Amino acid sequence: MDKLKSGKHCFIQGPKGIGKSTLIRLCIAHYGDGVGGFFTRRMLRGDGQGHEVRLFRLNPVTGAVDSESVFLFNCPDSPDGREDAGQIRERFNRLAPEILTMAGDCELLIMDELGPHEGEALAFQAAVFELLDGTVPILGVLQDSASEFLAAIAGREDVRMIRFEVENRDALQRDFPEDFFLKHRDSYGLICRSRDQILLKRTGRRWSFPKGHREAYETAECTAIRECLEETGQRARILGPVIGSVPSILPGSYRSVHFFPADICERQAFTPNSEVDEIAWLSPEEALRRLQAAEMPEAETLAVFVDQYMKMADA
């Protein structure tokens, strides 16, 4: 599969019944917890007169789809049973305040799917665009339909569109979930002190702090401690809350890296591995020089750490 274009948000388009929602579910499974948003589903009506479309909420804590749903509109078997467009518009508009709150506890927001029925629901549209302007990445599905609303979403500079077809379905299902995860899920790391020195790792020519992606259902603190142990062989103890956050330097990435202050429990011998070539115990001044030489954004966070925790150790 060709390298996927970057974008803070991503929407999938393709023919009906090809598996777009299946791809979304694969992404959710790869992402783990912290995923909220909504799914819409076409279901048989209880009276047997055609179908209806309902909206189901995704719980960001449990990762499950709520059993309760919101009725959106009917899909009758006959044109005579069509609903008034104004009624459909009002139902979508009433959802606007709830849509806005869905991003509150999320690291990823699902919108599966958006279609032409929202074309005149201006309050609902405004809520979607406000979320697109926010900080939480959105993964969604756009119907194949001529709609100014859908075209405006697809045309945004911060949206990457993925065309889902039979020809690329297998490749997308194999590669896309991890690609999206790596570009969007935040990482956590440690700034570690030991004997008035700072721990740095070197990968290639670049010096930095130990850090990595949070695995599903893992706390941020556990991620930072695990990554430090895996990358450097050092066991650490966290001293306090996150001391600084910086943007990822990886091309096409929209995630942040958050650093905890930490003590090394006891220095251990280091063995080079697939991720790290070398570690070093450095004075704060030398550590700062190497980070600045590598143009690492966490250099400013080191200054905060030294001011708050190295002076504490000296006191």
Side-chain angles (χ1 to χ4, degrees):
M1 185 181 68
D2 294 338
K3 185 176 179 181
L4 295 172
K5 294 193 303 180
S6 63
K8 184 174 76 172
H9 310 299
C10 183
F11 284 88
I12 302 164
Q13 271 188 321
K16 291 183 178 180
I18 196 172
K20 301 183 294 294
S21 294
T22 299
L23 182 58
I24 296 286
R25 287 195 293 271
L26 288 172
C27 291
I28 293 173
H30 201 90
Y31 219 85
D33 59 333
V35 182
F38 64 84
F39 290 88
T40 58
R41 289 292 176 264
R42 188 172 184 266
M43 311 170 66
L44 284 170
R45 287 175 49 174
D47 60 7
Q49 302 300 309
H51 294 77
E52 63 185 17
V53 174
R54 289 184 168 271
L55 180 143
F56 293 83
R57 305 168 188 85
L58 187 62
N59 189 310
V61 177
T62 65
V65 177
D66 288 348
S67 58
E68 294 185 1
S69 62
V70 177
F71 172 72
L72 294 177
F73 55 86
N74 284 316
C75 303
D77 291 334
S78 129
D80 296 337
R82 288 178 181 171
E83 290 185 276
D84 177 69
Q87 293 179 319
I88 298 175
R89 180 181 63 244
E90 288 307 310
R91 290 192 197 110
F92 275 104
N93 282 337
R94 284 197 297 270
L95 281 171
E98 182 178 353
I99 295 296
L100 284 173
T101 65
M102 286 183 175
D105 299 319
C106 296
E107 295 183 33
L108 173 65
L109 189 65
I110 301 297
M111 292 185 178
D112 180 12
E113 61 182 3
L114 299 175
H117 287 88
E118 298 95 301
E120 296 182 2
L122 298 184
F124 182 89
Q125 290 185 30
V128 171
F129 287 121
E130 184 172 337
L131 290 171
L132 286 167
D133 290 334
T135 59
V136 178
I138 296 172
L139 176 61
V141 175
L142 299 185
Q143 284 189 23
D144 265 341
S145 178
S147 162
E148 292 185 5
F149 171 51
L150 302 182
I153 294 173
R156 289 175 60 106
E157 292 185 359
D158 57 356
V159 167
R160 119 176 97 148
M161 294 299 301
I162 302 294
R163 187 67 194 175
F164 195 72
E165 304 279 4
V166 172
E167 292 77 12
N168 67 351
R169 177 169 53 192
D170 292 343
L172 281 172
Q173 290 180 346
R174 182 188 65 239
D175 298 336
F176 180 72
E178 183 173 6
D179 177 86
F180 191 89
F181 174 87
L182 293 175
K183 284 183 170 67
H184 292 85
R185 185 145 209 176
D186 286 357
S187 294
Y188 297 88
L190 298 180
I191 303 178
C192 299
R193 68 183 186 188
S194 173
R195 306 174 196 166
D196 297 326
Q197 292 181 312
I198 301 293
L199 172 65
L200 287 188
K201 65 167 188 173
R202 180 179 64 81
T203 302
R205 297 182 177 180
R206 180 174 290 144
W207 290 92
S208 62
F209 298 121
K211 57 186 178 290
H213 287 92
R214 184 171 73 85
E215 296 181 354
Y217 306 106
E218 183 180 49
T219 67
E221 293 84 353
C222 287
T223 297
I225 292 172
R226 173 181 55 77
E227 289 289 342
C228 183
L229 180 61
E230 290 177 355
E231 292 187 342
T232 71
Q234 311 302 310
R235 295 186 180 276
R237 177 177 62 89
I238 289 179
L239 298 170
V242 167
I243 198 172
S245 302
V246 299
S248 170
I249 64 170
L250 295 178
S253 176
Y254 289 86
R255 61 188 175 88
S256 297
V257 186
H258 312 280
F259 291 100
F260 291 96
D263 264 335
I264 293 298
C265 299
E266 183 177 351
R267 292 190 186 186
Q268 302 293 328
F270 169 73
T271 302
N273 54 66
S274 61
E275 296 184 85
V276 179
D277 299 314
E278 177 187 3
I279 68 170
W281 301 98
L282 305 169
S283 67
E285 295 77 15
E286 177 60 17
L288 181 61
R289 186 191 70 78
R290 295 193 188 188
L291 290 173
Q292 290 175 334
E295 299 183 344
M296 298 301 290
E298 53 258 45
E300 293 185 7
T301 306
L302 174 59
V304 176
F305 175 82
V306 170
D307 183 65
Q308 294 187 17
Y309 287 94
M310 300 298 281
K311 292 181 179 179
M312 178 195 307
D314 295 337

